[in-house]
Amino acid sequence: MATITYCAFTFILFLLAHFGESATFNVAAKANVDVGPALLKAWKEACATKTASTIVIPKGTYPMTQVVLIGPCKAPLELQIMGTLKAPPNPKDMDIKKEWFTIRYIDHFTLTGGGTLDGQGNVIVYPAKGKSHKLPNNLSLNFLTNSVIRGITTLNSKQFHVNVLGGKNLTFDHFTVKAPGDSPNTDGIHIAKIVGAVIKDSVFATGDDCISIGDGLENLKITGVTCGPGHGISVGSLGRTPGETPVKGMFVSNTKFIGTENGARIKTWPSSHHGVITDIYFENIDMKNVKNPIVIDQEYCPNNECNKQKPSLVKISKVSYKNIKGTSATPDAVILGCSKGVPCEGVEIGDINLTFKGGAAKSVCKNVKPKLTGKQVPPLVCK
Ligand SMILES: *[C@@H]1O[C@H](CO)[C@@H](O)[C@H](O)[C@H]1NC(C)=O
Ligand SMILES: *[C@@H]1O[C@H](CO)[C@@H](O)[C@H](O)[C@H]1NC(C)=O
Ligand SMILES: *[C@@H]1O[C@H](CO)[C@@H](O)[C@H](O)[C@H]1NC(C)=O
C-alpha cells in the first residue's frame, strides 16, 4: 500500500483529480508474508479514489491465502500483478466456501502486469486425482463490466482456472493457462451468464476443457487461441439443471487445437431439461492430432451418471463449421450426434479436410440434415 500519510495522500489525490492523472498504489508485498491483507488495503484506497488508479503488486513471489476484491469503485481501476502469487498447496488451509481469488462488481477494471497466479494444485490435489470434494480454487471474475484481463498466467489451479459468472463486455487478451494434461477438472476458462466477451491471442494447456461455455452466455468471440493439451472448446454440458438460459452467439476463428481430446464440441445431457443453443460458428480452425475434431454430443453422460433412454431436450440450431483442417487421432473425425427428441436445425458444414493417419477418417450423423457447402473430407453422408 502507499507509504504516504493520509494528509499528503489527500493532497496528491487533489492534484491528480486536478490534472486528470491516475494514482498508483504500491502493495507492500513481502516474501513469505500473505500478500492478501496488503492487497485488500490498497484495494480499499484505490477503489474509493475518484480518478483512475493503479494498484501494483511488484515482481517477486508471494503467498496469498484467499482474497475477495469487490466494487463498485469510484473510477476505473487497474490491478498490475507483476509477481507470482501462490495459493496454499493444501486446500484444507483455505475456506472452502470462498474461491481463491475473487474479483466482482467492478466497471472498467483491468488486470495486467505479466504476473502469475499459481494455484499449486500440482502439490497435493492432482496426485490425489482431485478426490478432495471441495476445492476452493478459482480466479473468479463475477459481474465485471467493460473490463480487460491482459497478459496474466494462471498455473496449476486446483479446479477450474477461471470462472466467469455474469457481467458484460469482458476481454481476455494474451492470457495463459497452464496445467498438466492429466490434471482433473482444471478447465481453463468457464464462462456463463455474460453478454459480450472476447478471448483472444491466448494459450491454454490444461487437463480439461480449454474453454467451457455455460448457460446464459451471449455473444462470445474466441480468436487466435491455441488449445492443447486439453479437452477442446466446449459449449455445455447443458440440460442437466432446470432453468438454464440460452447460449446465443459464439464465434470461434483462427484457432489451433493440438493433441486435444476434442476440438469444436457441443455437449448436452440426455433425459434433460429444455434448453437452447443457437448461433455457433467455427471458422478457420487447425486440428493437429485431435481425437474428435468436430463433435455434437447430445448424449453426454460421463461415468454413466444418467439415463440415456430419454433424449436431450436442448435444441441446437444455426451451427456452422467452415474451413476446418488437419489431422484426427482417431477415425471419428466428425460426429454430429443430435437429439432424436429435438433434432438439430440449420447446421452448415463448409470446407472440411480432416485426415487420419491409420486409415480413412469417417463421419457420423444422427438426427441432423446439414447443409453442405464446399468440400468435405471425410464426406458427410447424412440421411
Ligand atoms: C469454482 O468454479 C467451479 C466452476 O464454476 C464451481 O463449480 C466451483 O464451485 C467453484 N469453486 C468454489 C469454491 O466456488
Ligand atoms: C468494452 O470495454 C472496453 C474496455 O473498458 C471499452 O474500451 C469498450 O469501449 C467497451 N465496449 C462497449 C461496447 O461498451
Ligand atoms: C486434405 O489435406 C491433405 C493433407 O494436408 C492433402 O494432401 C489433401 O490434398 C487435402 N484435400 C483437399 C480436398 O483439400
Side-chain angles (χ1 to χ4, degrees), residues 228-261:
H231 292 186
I233 295 180
S234 297
V235 178
S237 53
L238 288 188
R240 204 184 193 189
T241 33
E244 286 175 349
T245 49
V247 170
K248 257 202 280 194
M250 178 171 97
F251 311 84
V252 183
S253 64
N254 304 321
T255 283
K256 281 195 183 86
F257 294 89
I258 303 171
T260 50
E261 295 286 316

PDB file of all heavy atoms in Angstrom, residues 228-261:
ATOM      1  N   GLY A 228      -4.273 -27.004 -26.117  1.00  0.00           N
ATOM      2  CA  GLY A 228      -3.676 -28.328 -26.067  1.00  0.00           C
ATOM      3  C   GLY A 228      -2.457 -28.372 -25.157  1.00  0.00           C
ATOM      4  O   GLY A 228      -1.688 -27.423 -25.191  1.00  0.00           O
ATOM      5  N   PRO A 229      -2.315 -29.411 -24.310  1.00  0.00           N
ATOM      6  CA  PRO A 229      -3.338 -30.453 -24.137  1.00  0.00           C
ATOM      7  C   PRO A 229      -4.594 -29.890 -23.503  1.00  0.00           C
ATOM      8  O   PRO A 229      -4.575 -28.793 -22.944  1.00  0.00           O
ATOM      9  CB  PRO A 229      -2.647 -31.451 -23.201  1.00  0.00           C
ATOM     10  CG  PRO A 229      -1.624 -30.665 -22.463  1.00  0.00           C
ATOM     11  CD  PRO A 229      -1.171 -29.609 -23.417  1.00  0.00           C
ATOM     12  N   GLY A 230      -5.682 -30.659 -23.615  1.00  0.00           N
ATOM     13  CA  GLY A 230      -6.953 -30.225 -23.053  1.00  0.00           C
ATOM     14  C   GLY A 230      -8.084 -30.960 -23.718  1.00  0.00           C
ATOM     15  O   GLY A 230      -7.852 -31.847 -24.545  1.00  0.00           O
ATOM     16  N   HIS A 231      -9.311 -30.589 -23.365  1.00  0.00           N
ATOM     17  CA  HIS A 231     -10.476 -31.289 -23.921  1.00  0.00           C
ATOM     18  C   HIS A 231     -11.194 -30.459 -24.979  1.00  0.00           C
ATOM     19  O   HIS A 231     -12.309 -30.782 -25.365  1.00  0.00           O
ATOM     20  CB  HIS A 231     -11.444 -31.694 -22.803  1.00  0.00           C
ATOM     21  CG  HIS A 231     -10.876 -32.751 -21.896  1.00  0.00           C
ATOM     22  ND1 HIS A 231     -11.599 -33.346 -20.897  1.00  0.00           N
ATOM     23  CD2 HIS A 231      -9.643 -33.317 -21.843  1.00  0.00           C
ATOM     24  CE1 HIS A 231     -10.836 -34.242 -20.266  1.00  0.00           C
ATOM     25  NE2 HIS A 231      -9.651 -34.234 -20.821  1.00  0.00           N
ATOM     26  N   GLY A 232     -10.574 -29.374 -25.428  1.00  0.00           N
ATOM     27  CA  GLY A 232     -11.163 -28.589 -26.510  1.00  0.00           C
ATOM     28  C   GLY A 232     -11.947 -27.392 -26.036  1.00  0.00           C
ATOM     29  O   GLY A 232     -11.849 -26.977 -24.874  1.00  0.00           O
ATOM     30  N   ILE A 233     -12.696 -26.822 -26.966  1.00  0.00           N
ATOM     31  CA  ILE A 233     -13.597 -25.711 -26.642  1.00  0.00           C
ATOM     32  C   ILE A 233     -14.997 -26.291 -26.665  1.00  0.00           C
ATOM     33  O   ILE A 233     -15.438 -26.812 -27.686  1.00  0.00           O
ATOM     34  CB  ILE A 233     -13.444 -24.552 -27.648  1.00  0.00           C
ATOM     35  CG1 ILE A 233     -12.028 -23.951 -27.530  1.00  0.00           C
ATOM     36  CG2 ILE A 233     -14.519 -23.485 -27.410  1.00  0.00           C
ATOM     37  CD1 ILE A 233     -11.745 -22.784 -28.465  1.00  0.00           C
ATOM     38  N   SER A 234     -15.672 -26.239 -25.540  1.00  0.00           N
ATOM     39  CA  SER A 234     -16.964 -26.917 -25.404  1.00  0.00           C
ATOM     40  C   SER A 234     -18.078 -25.972 -25.035  1.00  0.00           C
ATOM     41  O   SER A 234     -17.953 -25.206 -24.081  1.00  0.00           O
ATOM     42  CB  SER A 234     -16.895 -27.981 -24.303  1.00  0.00           C
ATOM     43  OG  SER A 234     -15.968 -28.982 -24.624  1.00  0.00           O
ATOM     44  N   VAL A 235     -19.179 -26.072 -25.781  1.00  0.00           N
ATOM     45  CA  VAL A 235     -20.416 -25.442 -25.328  1.00  0.00           C
ATOM     46  C   VAL A 235     -21.110 -26.503 -24.484  1.00  0.00           C
ATOM     47  O   VAL A 235     -21.340 -27.611 -24.950  1.00  0.00           O
ATOM     48  CB  VAL A 235     -21.318 -25.051 -26.513  1.00  0.00           C
ATOM     49  CG1 VAL A 235     -22.619 -24.444 -26.006  1.00  0.00           C
ATOM     50  CG2 VAL A 235     -20.600 -24.092 -27.442  1.00  0.00           C
ATOM     51  N   GLY A 236     -21.388 -26.189 -23.247  1.00  0.00           N
ATOM     52  CA  GLY A 236     -22.018 -27.150 -22.341  1.00  0.00           C
ATOM     53  C   GLY A 236     -20.976 -27.830 -21.463  1.00  0.00           C
ATOM     54  O   GLY A 236     -19.835 -27.391 -21.438  1.00  0.00           O
ATOM     55  N   SER A 237     -21.363 -28.829 -20.756  1.00  0.00           N
ATOM     56  CA  SER A 237     -22.605 -29.542 -20.974  1.00  0.00           C
ATOM     57  C   SER A 237     -23.813 -28.748 -20.453  1.00  0.00           C
ATOM     58  O   SER A 237     -23.710 -28.099 -19.409  1.00  0.00           O
ATOM     59  CB  SER A 237     -22.546 -30.885 -20.273  1.00  0.00           C
ATOM     60  OG  SER A 237     -22.205 -30.727 -18.908  1.00  0.00           O
ATOM     61  N   LEU A 238     -24.921 -28.854 -21.207  1.00  0.00           N
ATOM     62  CA  LEU A 238     -26.146 -28.181 -20.803  1.00  0.00           C
ATOM     63  C   LEU A 238     -27.264 -29.199 -20.649  1.00  0.00           C
ATOM     64  O   LEU A 238     -27.191 -30.316 -21.163  1.00  0.00           O
ATOM     65  CB  LEU A 238     -26.553 -27.139 -21.845  1.00  0.00           C
ATOM     66  CG  LEU A 238     -25.723 -25.856 -21.958  1.00  0.00           C
ATOM     67  CD1 LEU A 238     -26.406 -24.891 -22.901  1.00  0.00           C
ATOM     68  CD2 LEU A 238     -25.513 -25.189 -20.617  1.00  0.00           C
ATOM     69  N   GLY A 239     -28.307 -28.797 -19.953  1.00  0.00           N
ATOM     70  CA  GLY A 239     -29.519 -29.602 -19.849  1.00  0.00           C
ATOM     71  C   GLY A 239     -29.678 -30.355 -18.545  1.00  0.00           C
ATOM     72  O   GLY A 239     -30.711 -30.944 -18.287  1.00  0.00           O
ATOM     73  N   ARG A 240     -28.653 -30.320 -17.725  1.00  0.00           N
ATOM     74  CA  ARG A 240     -28.715 -31.135 -16.518  1.00  0.00           C
ATOM     75  C   ARG A 240     -29.537 -30.473 -15.414  1.00  0.00           C
ATOM     76  O   ARG A 240     -30.212 -31.143 -14.637  1.00  0.00           O
ATOM     77  CB  ARG A 240     -27.299 -31.396 -16.014  1.00  0.00           C
ATOM     78  CG  ARG A 240     -27.253 -32.638 -15.173  1.00  0.00           C
ATOM     79  CD  ARG A 240     -25.880 -32.853 -14.592  1.00  0.00           C
ATOM     80  NE  ARG A 240     -25.786 -34.194 -14.046  1.00  0.00           N
ATOM     81  CZ  ARG A 240     -24.771 -34.614 -13.325  1.00  0.00           C
ATOM     82  NH1 ARG A 240     -23.752 -33.803 -13.086  1.00  0.00           N
ATOM     83  NH2 ARG A 240     -24.738 -35.827 -12.848  1.00  0.00           N
ATOM     84  N   THR A 241     -29.457 -29.152 -15.338  1.00  0.00           N
ATOM     85  CA  THR A 241     -30.196 -28.443 -14.291  1.00  0.00           C
ATOM     86  C   THR A 241     -31.353 -27.650 -14.898  1.00  0.00           C
ATOM     87  O   THR A 241     -31.225 -27.121 -16.000  1.00  0.00           O
ATOM     88  CB  THR A 241     -29.272 -27.482 -13.510  1.00  0.00           C
ATOM     89  OG1 THR A 241     -28.275 -26.981 -14.419  1.00  0.00           O
ATOM     90  CG2 THR A 241     -28.592 -28.153 -12.367  1.00  0.00           C
ATOM     91  N   PRO A 242     -32.473 -27.566 -14.186  1.00  0.00           N
ATOM     92  CA  PRO A 242     -33.625 -26.836 -14.730  1.00  0.00           C
ATOM     93  C   PRO A 242     -33.355 -25.324 -14.760  1.00  0.00           C
ATOM     94  O   PRO A 242     -32.532 -24.827 -13.998  1.00  0.00           O
ATOM     95  CB  PRO A 242     -34.757 -27.164 -13.745  1.00  0.00           C
ATOM     96  CG  PRO A 242     -34.090 -27.597 -12.491  1.00  0.00           C
ATOM     97  CD  PRO A 242     -32.756 -28.160 -12.861  1.00  0.00           C
ATOM     98  N   GLY A 243     -34.047 -24.632 -15.670  1.00  0.00           N
ATOM     99  CA  GLY A 243     -33.971 -23.166 -15.681  1.00  0.00           C
ATOM    100  C   GLY A 243     -32.759 -22.576 -16.377  1.00  0.00           C
ATOM    101  O   GLY A 243     -32.484 -21.395 -16.227  1.00  0.00           O
ATOM    102  N   GLU A 244     -32.023 -23.390 -17.116  1.00  0.00           N
ATOM    103  CA  GLU A 244     -30.868 -22.833 -17.821  1.00  0.00           C
ATOM    104  C   GLU A 244     -31.318 -21.890 -18.928  1.00  0.00           C
ATOM    105  O   GLU A 244     -32.248 -22.189 -19.674  1.00  0.00           O
ATOM    106  CB  GLU A 244     -30.017 -23.959 -18.426  1.00  0.00           C
ATOM    107  CG  GLU A 244     -29.229 -24.712 -17.379  1.00  0.00           C
ATOM    108  CD  GLU A 244     -28.477 -25.917 -17.930  1.00  0.00           C
ATOM    109  OE1 GLU A 244     -28.729 -26.301 -19.090  1.00  0.00           O
ATOM    110  OE2 GLU A 244     -27.647 -26.470 -17.199  1.00  0.00           O
ATOM    111  N   THR A 245     -30.638 -20.763 -19.064  1.00  0.00           N
ATOM    112  CA  THR A 245     -30.991 -19.794 -20.099  1.00  0.00           C
ATOM    113  C   THR A 245     -30.153 -20.073 -21.352  1.00  0.00           C
ATOM    114  O   THR A 245     -29.108 -20.715 -21.279  1.00  0.00           O
ATOM    115  CB  THR A 245     -30.793 -18.359 -19.584  1.00  0.00           C
ATOM    116  OG1 THR A 245     -29.506 -18.273 -18.994  1.00  0.00           O
ATOM    117  CG2 THR A 245     -31.838 -17.998 -18.541  1.00  0.00           C
ATOM    118  N   PRO A 246     -30.614 -19.597 -22.545  1.00  0.00           N
ATOM    119  CA  PRO A 246     -29.963 -19.959 -23.799  1.00  0.00           C
ATOM    120  C   PRO A 246     -28.498 -19.534 -23.929  1.00  0.00           C
ATOM    121  O   PRO A 246     -28.086 -18.531 -23.343  1.00  0.00           O
ATOM    122  CB  PRO A 246     -30.799 -19.208 -24.856  1.00  0.00           C
ATOM    123  CG  PRO A 246     -32.122 -19.012 -24.226  1.00  0.00           C
ATOM    124  CD  PRO A 246     -31.850 -18.809 -22.764  1.00  0.00           C
ATOM    125  N   VAL A 247     -27.754 -20.327 -24.699  1.00  0.00           N
ATOM    126  CA  VAL A 247     -26.427 -19.922 -25.166  1.00  0.00           C
ATOM    127  C   VAL A 247     -26.657 -19.413 -26.584  1.00  0.00           C
ATOM    128  O   VAL A 247     -27.140 -20.149 -27.444  1.00  0.00           O
ATOM    129  CB  VAL A 247     -25.443 -21.113 -25.174  1.00  0.00           C
ATOM    130  CG1 VAL A 247     -24.147 -20.741 -25.890  1.00  0.00           C
ATOM    131  CG2 VAL A 247     -25.156 -21.586 -23.757  1.00  0.00           C
ATOM    132  N   LYS A 248     -26.349 -18.141 -26.806  1.00  0.00           N
ATOM    133  CA  LYS A 248     -26.697 -17.495 -28.071  1.00  0.00           C
ATOM    134  C   LYS A 248     -25.517 -16.716 -28.613  1.00  0.00           C
ATOM    135  O   LYS A 248     -25.163 -15.682 -28.073  1.00  0.00           O
ATOM    136  CB  LYS A 248     -27.808 -16.471 -27.784  1.00  0.00           C
ATOM    137  CG  LYS A 248     -29.179 -16.918 -28.198  1.00  0.00           C
ATOM    138  CD  LYS A 248     -30.120 -15.756 -28.391  1.00  0.00           C
ATOM    139  CE  LYS A 248     -30.724 -15.165 -27.168  1.00  0.00           C
ATOM    140  NZ  LYS A 248     -31.809 -14.301 -27.197  1.00  0.00           N
ATOM    141  N   GLY A 249     -24.889 -17.233 -29.664  1.00  0.00           N
ATOM    142  CA  GLY A 249     -23.837 -16.444 -30.299  1.00  0.00           C
ATOM    143  C   GLY A 249     -22.449 -16.760 -29.786  1.00  0.00           C
ATOM    144  O   GLY A 249     -22.016 -16.252 -28.761  1.00  0.00           O
ATOM    145  N   MET A 250     -21.764 -17.658 -30.500  1.00  0.00           N
ATOM    146  CA  MET A 250     -20.352 -17.897 -30.192  1.00  0.00           C
ATOM    147  C   MET A 250     -19.619 -18.001 -31.521  1.00  0.00           C
ATOM    148  O   MET A 250     -20.030 -18.732 -32.416  1.00  0.00           O
ATOM    149  CB  MET A 250     -20.181 -19.169 -29.392  1.00  0.00           C
ATOM    150  CG  MET A 250     -18.710 -19.443 -29.108  1.00  0.00           C
ATOM    151  SD  MET A 250     -18.447 -20.785 -27.969  1.00  0.00           S
ATOM    152  CE  MET A 250     -18.152 -22.089 -29.102  1.00  0.00           C
ATOM    153  N   PHE A 251     -18.536 -17.259 -31.672  1.00  0.00           N
ATOM    154  CA  PHE A 251     -17.790 -17.200 -32.922  1.00  0.00           C
ATOM    155  C   PHE A 251     -16.352 -17.595 -32.622  1.00  0.00           C
ATOM    156  O   PHE A 251     -15.637 -16.856 -31.958  1.00  0.00           O
ATOM    157  CB  PHE A 251     -17.834 -15.776 -33.480  1.00  0.00           C
ATOM    158  CG  PHE A 251     -19.228 -15.211 -33.518  1.00  0.00           C
ATOM    159  CD1 PHE A 251     -19.795 -14.606 -32.397  1.00  0.00           C
ATOM    160  CD2 PHE A 251     -20.001 -15.317 -34.672  1.00  0.00           C
ATOM    161  CE1 PHE A 251     -21.089 -14.118 -32.421  1.00  0.00           C
ATOM    162  CE2 PHE A 251     -21.303 -14.831 -34.700  1.00  0.00           C
ATOM    163  CZ  PHE A 251     -21.853 -14.220 -33.567  1.00  0.00           C
ATOM    164  N   VAL A 252     -15.954 -18.772 -33.099  1.00  0.00           N
ATOM    165  CA  VAL A 252     -14.578 -19.226 -32.853  1.00  0.00           C
ATOM    166  C   VAL A 252     -13.837 -19.191 -34.185  1.00  0.00           C
ATOM    167  O   VAL A 252     -14.272 -19.816 -35.156  1.00  0.00           O
ATOM    168  CB  VAL A 252     -14.556 -20.668 -32.294  1.00  0.00           C
ATOM    169  CG1 VAL A 252     -13.124 -21.107 -31.981  1.00  0.00           C
ATOM    170  CG2 VAL A 252     -15.432 -20.788 -31.053  1.00  0.00           C
ATOM    171  N   SER A 253     -12.731 -18.460 -34.262  1.00  0.00           N
ATOM    172  CA  SER A 253     -11.988 -18.398 -35.522  1.00  0.00           C
ATOM    173  C   SER A 253     -10.487 -18.418 -35.270  1.00  0.00           C
ATOM    174  O   SER A 253     -10.026 -18.131 -34.152  1.00  0.00           O
ATOM    175  CB  SER A 253     -12.371 -17.126 -36.290  1.00  0.00           C
ATOM    176  OG  SER A 253     -11.972 -15.997 -35.545  1.00  0.00           O
ATOM    177  N   ASN A 254      -9.732 -18.750 -36.330  1.00  0.00           N
ATOM    178  CA  ASN A 254      -8.262 -18.726 -36.277  1.00  0.00           C
ATOM    179  C   ASN A 254      -7.715 -19.336 -34.997  1.00  0.00           C
ATOM    180  O   ASN A 254      -6.952 -18.704 -34.266  1.00  0.00           O
ATOM    181  CB  ASN A 254      -7.759 -17.292 -36.447  1.00  0.00           C
ATOM    182  CG  ASN A 254      -8.284 -16.692 -37.733  1.00  0.00           C
ATOM    183  OD1 ASN A 254      -8.356 -17.366 -38.756  1.00  0.00           O
ATOM    184  ND2 ASN A 254      -8.707 -15.451 -37.683  1.00  0.00           N
ATOM    185  N   THR A 255      -8.163 -20.560 -34.759  1.00  0.00           N
ATOM    186  CA  THR A 255      -7.793 -21.229 -33.509  1.00  0.00           C
ATOM    187  C   THR A 255      -7.169 -22.582 -33.834  1.00  0.00           C
ATOM    188  O   THR A 255      -7.495 -23.210 -34.832  1.00  0.00           O
ATOM    189  CB  THR A 255      -9.066 -21.314 -32.627  1.00  0.00           C
ATOM    190  OG1 THR A 255      -9.274 -20.018 -32.059  1.00  0.00           O
ATOM    191  CG2 THR A 255      -8.972 -22.335 -31.538  1.00  0.00           C
ATOM    192  N   LYS A 256      -6.215 -23.001 -32.955  1.00  0.00           N
ATOM    193  CA  LYS A 256      -5.498 -24.267 -33.163  1.00  0.00           C
ATOM    194  C   LYS A 256      -5.768 -25.210 -31.999  1.00  0.00           C
ATOM    195  O   LYS A 256      -5.703 -24.799 -30.846  1.00  0.00           O
ATOM    196  CB  LYS A 256      -3.983 -24.006 -33.127  1.00  0.00           C
ATOM    197  CG  LYS A 256      -3.392 -23.433 -34.356  1.00  0.00           C
ATOM    198  CD  LYS A 256      -1.853 -23.588 -34.272  1.00  0.00           C
ATOM    199  CE  LYS A 256      -1.187 -22.951 -35.463  1.00  0.00           C
ATOM    200  NZ  LYS A 256      -0.943 -21.521 -35.294  1.00  0.00           N
ATOM    201  N   PHE A 257      -6.021 -26.467 -32.360  1.00  0.00           N
ATOM    202  CA  PHE A 257      -6.133 -27.497 -31.326  1.00  0.00           C
ATOM    203  C   PHE A 257      -4.987 -28.469 -31.538  1.00  0.00           C
ATOM    204  O   PHE A 257      -4.807 -28.977 -32.646  1.00  0.00           O
ATOM    205  CB  PHE A 257      -7.467 -28.235 -31.459  1.00  0.00           C
ATOM    206  CG  PHE A 257      -8.669 -27.373 -31.184  1.00  0.00           C
ATOM    207  CD1 PHE A 257      -9.284 -26.657 -32.202  1.00  0.00           C
ATOM    208  CD2 PHE A 257      -9.182 -27.270 -29.899  1.00  0.00           C
ATOM    209  CE1 PHE A 257     -10.394 -25.853 -31.946  1.00  0.00           C
ATOM    210  CE2 PHE A 257     -10.293 -26.469 -29.634  1.00  0.00           C
ATOM    211  CZ  PHE A 257     -10.898 -25.762 -30.664  1.00  0.00           C
ATOM    212  N   ILE A 258      -4.212 -28.713 -30.502  1.00  0.00           N
ATOM    213  CA  ILE A 258      -3.053 -29.594 -30.650  1.00  0.00           C
ATOM    214  C   ILE A 258      -3.127 -30.737 -29.642  1.00  0.00           C
ATOM    215  O   ILE A 258      -3.058 -30.520 -28.430  1.00  0.00           O
ATOM    216  CB  ILE A 258      -1.740 -28.800 -30.461  1.00  0.00           C
ATOM    217  CG1 ILE A 258      -1.693 -27.643 -31.478  1.00  0.00           C
ATOM    218  CG2 ILE A 258      -0.520 -29.705 -30.617  1.00  0.00           C
ATOM    219  CD1 ILE A 258      -0.574 -26.667 -31.247  1.00  0.00           C
ATOM    220  N   GLY A 259      -3.301 -31.960 -30.159  1.00  0.00           N
ATOM    221  CA  GLY A 259      -3.311 -33.154 -29.298  1.00  0.00           C
ATOM    222  C   GLY A 259      -4.425 -33.169 -28.270  1.00  0.00           C
ATOM    223  O   GLY A 259      -4.283 -33.781 -27.210  1.00  0.00           O
ATOM    224  N   THR A 260      -5.551 -32.535 -28.564  1.00  0.00           N
ATOM    225  CA  THR A 260      -6.635 -32.477 -27.584  1.00  0.00           C
ATOM    226  C   THR A 260      -7.599 -33.656 -27.739  1.00  0.00           C
ATOM    227  O   THR A 260      -7.594 -34.352 -28.748  1.00  0.00           O
ATOM    228  CB  THR A 260      -7.434 -31.157 -27.738  1.00  0.00           C
ATOM    229  OG1 THR A 260      -7.789 -30.994 -29.114  1.00  0.00           O
ATOM    230  CG2 THR A 260      -6.610 -29.968 -27.302  1.00  0.00           C
ATOM    231  N   GLU A 261      -8.430 -33.863 -26.710  1.00  0.00           N
ATOM    232  CA  GLU A 261      -9.449 -34.920 -26.747  1.00  0.00           C
ATOM    233  C   GLU A 261     -10.520 -34.567 -27.775  1.00  0.00           C
ATOM    234  O   GLU A 261     -10.976 -35.423 -28.531  1.00  0.00           O
ATOM    235  CB  GLU A 261     -10.128 -35.043 -25.376  1.00  0.00           C
ATOM    236  CG  GLU A 261      -9.213 -35.512 -24.259  1.00  0.00           C
ATOM    237  CD  GLU A 261      -8.900 -36.990 -24.381  1.00  0.00           C
ATOM    238  OE1 GLU A 261      -9.825 -37.772 -24.652  1.00  0.00           O
ATOM    239  OE2 GLU A 261      -7.722 -37.346 -24.202  1.00  0.00           O
TER     240      GLU A 261
END
